Amino acid sequence: MRAYHLHVQGIVQAVGFRPFVYRIAHEHNLKGYVKNLGDAGVEIVIEGREEDIEAFLRDLHRKKPPLARIDRVEKKEIPPQGFPEFYIEKSSKGGKGGDSIIPPDIAICEDCLRELFDPTNKRYMYPFIVCTNCGPRFTIIEDLPYDRENTTMREFPMCNFCRSEYEDPLNRRYHAEPIACPVCGPSYRLYTSDGKEITGDPLRKAAELIDRGYIVAVKGIGGIHLACDATNEDVVAELRKRTFRPQKPFAIMANSLETVKSFAYVSREEEEELTSYRRPIITLRKKEPFPLPENLAPGLHTIGVMLPYAGTHYILFHWSRSKIYVMTSANYPGMPMVKDNERAFEELKEVADYLLLHNRKIFNRADDSVVRFVDGRRAVIRRSRGFVPLPIEIPFDYSGLAVGAELMNAFGVAKNGKVYPSQYIGNTGKLEVLEFMRGAIAHFKRILRVRDFDLIIADLHPGYNTTKLAMELANEMDAELLQVQHHYAHIASVLAEENLESAVGIALDGVGYGTDGNVWGGEVLYLSYEDVERLAHIDYYPLPGGDLASYYPLRALMGILSRIYSIEELEGIIESCCPKAVESLKYGKVEFNVVLNQLAKGINTAYASSTGRVLDSLAVLLNVSHRRHYEGEPAMKLEGFATKGRNDLKFEIPVDGELIRGEELFVQALDAIEKAPPADIAYSAHLALARAFADIAIENAKEFGVKDVAVSGGVAYNELIVKTMRKAVEASGLRFHVTTEVPRGDNGINVGQAFLGGLYLEGYLSREDLTL
């Protein structure tokens, strides 16, 4: 007889791993035990014949539960102890700083879905039906180990029926911590906006109200949504009015994949992601003519769609005539999604007509994740429910906090060669969001068993609230603070995910504070373990009014044109090509004249190399979009408009040394306005920008002797630009890299910050390298 001690690390909690080990141990006639070690993973002691132990180890890897992931197994032979049987030992607290990974929230599985609609099942039409293969995880966990008493389910003692399943190692609900039934579990109540409870079946009545054109707040897994009939144009317009979102696209939920395919194109990759356990929102290309109301996603060629992921959603659709709901986060612009019942009554009484609320607390807010497929590859836009808190591996072992960017924020905790990005935090310019971030940092420290940080990494921008928070935390924790340039971190996130040691990077986005104090955003960089260099960039152009140019892109257009034309010529061009843009300014013609004066005298003007503002300016010039109501709006609408273009007008953007002369693109566009369809101009401008950046990156990659080109930043979600660059790079014999796990925009910058922090601590790059 032989005996071994096994220490298993990875995603081995909350995924049915212990009952799986129990079953295969019995199948192979082994004795011993399996034990949950909290943050340190799972401990297994096995005794038996050598050949049976070898078969057990093979099955451990080959037959593991679908949601489990084994990262490491440490095996040590020990003296046999004579166990009488194999059993499941009670969990221990752990706390040794191990590597056990908490799984994310998981969409309802097929087994539970089948039981949900089985009239003979005890959980028939019970919205909180779960098993070890599905249900909430991250959103209900307060501490490790992942046991019921450490979750918000501890407020619901199990009935005898649930406990019998919970304690049966052969049952798929064995140690399913959120296990519940109508007798002992959470329940829904339906209320009017002034708090009066409505009697009867709350979900059935809510579905009927949605069908009748009402807006219903629906509490789910990670927060509260605002739901309404997506086929009713009037109620969608009313929802826009109440939420102060005049243009921002609403996410919709369809009852089935078949319904989704009736209004949007779905590729094989998109279908796999739509139906995955993550169930994110996927931005899909609209079918034409689009059969749903245009005001769901005004001016865009895409629509954000998700499928039901909880019993609640399936039951609502079961009772509803509508097959498609708007399902958008319940919050005002820039504020955190509402998750608590008390706050719902306070904050949503002017927004929702009715509130469908359950009595289980949501401990960790988690917005729906958002994904787009760009050039056939997944591009995560917002990484939250379904992804968090799964880590990203980096080749540096230290304890650190990367606080991320100001907008689309997520922070990341570095530990044991991994970065654990947080759920979506949001716009930290808002005090409420910053407080949410503080609480989330404290929670991540607790569940990851991090006591102290070696390093806290922040953006270089001195005015970011995240930078100020990093300074405060560094002082409180007596940790070292490192600030790193925004676009260096963007490219570093690609090196982290793709496991690269060097690359020429193309960082394209709207705004990033440069090492020279200017606004960067159209950069070609070299990043390696030994050096960081800015190789080329869009030539600086004025941004009259600074940040105002991001909300009123006419300002950016005027700044770019002022590089080429006199003030008088500029005024004539604007009044001739896009007079409506002048009307879109807050103070109309008066403000237009003020901006002309700013440019003439160089007053209150920043200077930028931003690709995002270039695209915004083209959107104004071609009368596609004149005002930004949400992040990225003009550029997104321009991309949709450009997809209608058919002819490449062969625009060329000259390069003068390190300077990409972006203003010349506008000379060519203006010349083409009288000769070509506007969509062809938009299409050609996208291709010209992509070719210019790709050509410079290829040239520099060959000079540096590197084989890899990395692309990141918010513009890396643009299909036309990414596809054109990828083709050019690969045609030159180089490898083209974008991220598929880490968000390409600011939501993923924390991973790049953590990677640069590792380079700094290991002595590869100095503080000056990352800030000068």
Side-chain angles (χ1 to χ4, degrees), residues 428-620:
T428 55
K430 304 279 188 181
L431 178 61
E432 293 87 347
V433 177
L434 200 63
E435 289 306 307
F436 165 36
M437 182 179 178
R438 284 179 180 272
I441 289 172
H443 181 63
F444 266 69
K445 280 188 68 183
R446 181 166 61 251
I447 63 174
L448 293 174
R449 300 293 190 259
V450 176
R451 300 183 66 181
D452 300 299
F453 293 123
D454 302 323
L455 184 68
I456 296 178
I457 312 103
D459 194 272
L460 191 60
H461 198 302
Y464 276 4
N465 277 336
T466 50
T467 302
K468 296 172 184 176
L469 176 62
M471 292 175 176
E472 292 176 20
L473 292 174
N475 185 57
E476 290 173 11
M477 301 177 185
D478 196 26
E480 186 176 1
L481 175 69
L482 176 69
Q483 290 179 256
V484 300
Q485 202 280 324
H486 187 87
H487 299 94
Y488 297 171
H490 267 311
I491 300 305
S493 70
V494 187
L495 268 63
E497 182 177 314
E498 296 286 279
N499 195 27
L500 302 175
E501 293 190 2
S502 64
V504 169
I506 303 173
L508 308 178
D509 67 1
V511 176
Y513 188 79
T515 60
D516 58 2
N518 288 320
V519 178
W520 290 11
E523 316 301 315
V524 180
L525 310 167
Y526 172 70
L527 176 60
S528 73
Y529 278 35
E530 299 175 352
D531 193 18
V532 184
E533 286 188 44
R534 189 189 194 195
L535 305 175
H537 60 88
I538 291 176
D539 197 4
Y540 289 129
Y541 53 85
L543 280 183
D547 283 346
L548 278 174
S550 66
Y551 295 96
Y552 301 95
L554 174 60
R555 287 174 170 267
L557 174 62
M558 293 170 69
I560 292 171
L561 294 180
S562 74
R563 292 288 313 274
I564 314 159
Y565 302 102
S566 69
I567 297 299
E568 293 75 18
E569 290 173 320
L570 192 162
E571 183 175 9
I573 290 169
I574 298 301
E575 292 181 344
S576 171
C577 294
C578 44
K580 288 186 177 179
V582 177
E583 298 172 13
S584 74
L585 295 172
K586 189 173 184 179
Y587 300 105
K589 183 70 173 179
V590 172
E591 185 174 341
F592 178 64
N593 290 330
V594 169
V595 176
L596 289 172
N597 188 52
Q598 285 180 299
L599 290 168
K601 297 181 179 179
I603 302 170
N604 189 24
T605 298
Y607 288 87
S609 61
S610 164
T611 309
R613 297 296 87 82
V614 167
L615 293 169
D616 291 352
S617 299
L618 284 164
V620 173

Side-chain angles (χ1 to χ4, degrees), residues 291-543:
L292 300 179
E294 179 58 28
N295 63 354
L296 288 170
L300 298 177
H301 68 300
T302 57
I303 181 78
V305 187
M306 59 181 157
L307 290 173
Y309 55 84
T312 303
H313 305 138
Y314 282 100
I315 295 171
L316 285 171
F317 280 121
H318 174 80
W319 293 121
S320 183
R321 291 193 308 271
S322 176
K323 297 180 179 181
I324 311 164
Y325 287 170
V326 169
M327 194 67 79
T328 189
S329 299
N331 60 281
Y332 289 106
M335 301 297 284
M337 177 171 58
V338 178
K339 68 179 181 69
D340 300 320
N341 294 5
E342 297 78 13
R343 295 289 295 273
F345 286 118
E346 293 172 12
E347 298 183 24
L348 302 179
K349 60 185 177 182
E350 303 297 329
V351 182
D353 300 307
Y354 297 89
L355 296 91
L356 180 63
L357 304 175
H358 62 69
N359 57 346
R360 182 176 66 199
K361 291 179 182 176
I362 298 171
F363 192 78
N364 297 300
R365 178 186 287 109
D367 291 73
D368 297 312
S369 295
V370 183
V371 169
R372 182 182 180 187
F373 278 79
V374 177
D375 191 26
R377 303 189 71 188
R378 186 175 72 180
V380 180
I381 298 171
R382 186 169 74 193
R383 189 179 188 272
S384 204
R385 178 190 54 76
F387 286 90
V388 174
L390 299 181
I392 307 294
E393 292 193 6
I394 58 172
F396 308 107
D397 186 357
Y398 73 101
S399 173
L401 171 66
V403 297
E406 187 82 342
L407 301 176
M408 291 290 292
N409 178 270
F411 62 86
V413 174
K415 176 192 171 186
N416 294 351
K418 295 181 177 69
V419 182
Y420 295 82
S422 75
Q423 71 269 51
Y424 174 74
I425 301 295
N427 175 8
T428 55
K430 304 279 188 181
L431 178 61
E432 293 87 347
V433 177
L434 200 63
E435 289 306 307
F436 165 36
M437 182 179 178
R438 284 179 180 272
I441 289 172
H443 181 63
F444 266 69
K445 280 188 68 183
R446 181 166 61 251
I447 63 174
L448 293 174
R449 300 293 190 259
V450 176
R451 300 183 66 181
D452 300 299
F453 293 123
D454 302 323
L455 184 68
I456 296 178
I457 312 103
D459 194 272
L460 191 60
H461 198 302
Y464 276 4
N465 277 336
T466 50
T467 302
K468 296 172 184 176
L469 176 62
M471 292 175 176
E472 292 176 20
L473 292 174
N475 185 57
E476 290 173 11
M477 301 177 185
D478 196 26
E480 186 176 1
L481 175 69
L482 176 69
Q483 290 179 256
V484 300
Q485 202 280 324
H486 187 87
H487 299 94
Y488 297 171
H490 267 311
I491 300 305
S493 70
V494 187
L495 268 63
E497 182 177 314
E498 296 286 279
N499 195 27
L500 302 175
E501 293 190 2
S502 64
V504 169
I506 303 173
L508 308 178
D509 67 1
V511 176
Y513 188 79
T515 60
D516 58 2
N518 288 320
V519 178
W520 290 11
E523 316 301 315
V524 180
L525 310 167
Y526 172 70
L527 176 60
S528 73
Y529 278 35
E530 299 175 352
D531 193 18
V532 184
E533 286 188 44
R534 189 189 194 195
L535 305 175
H537 60 88
I538 291 176
D539 197 4
Y540 289 129
Y541 53 85
L543 280 183

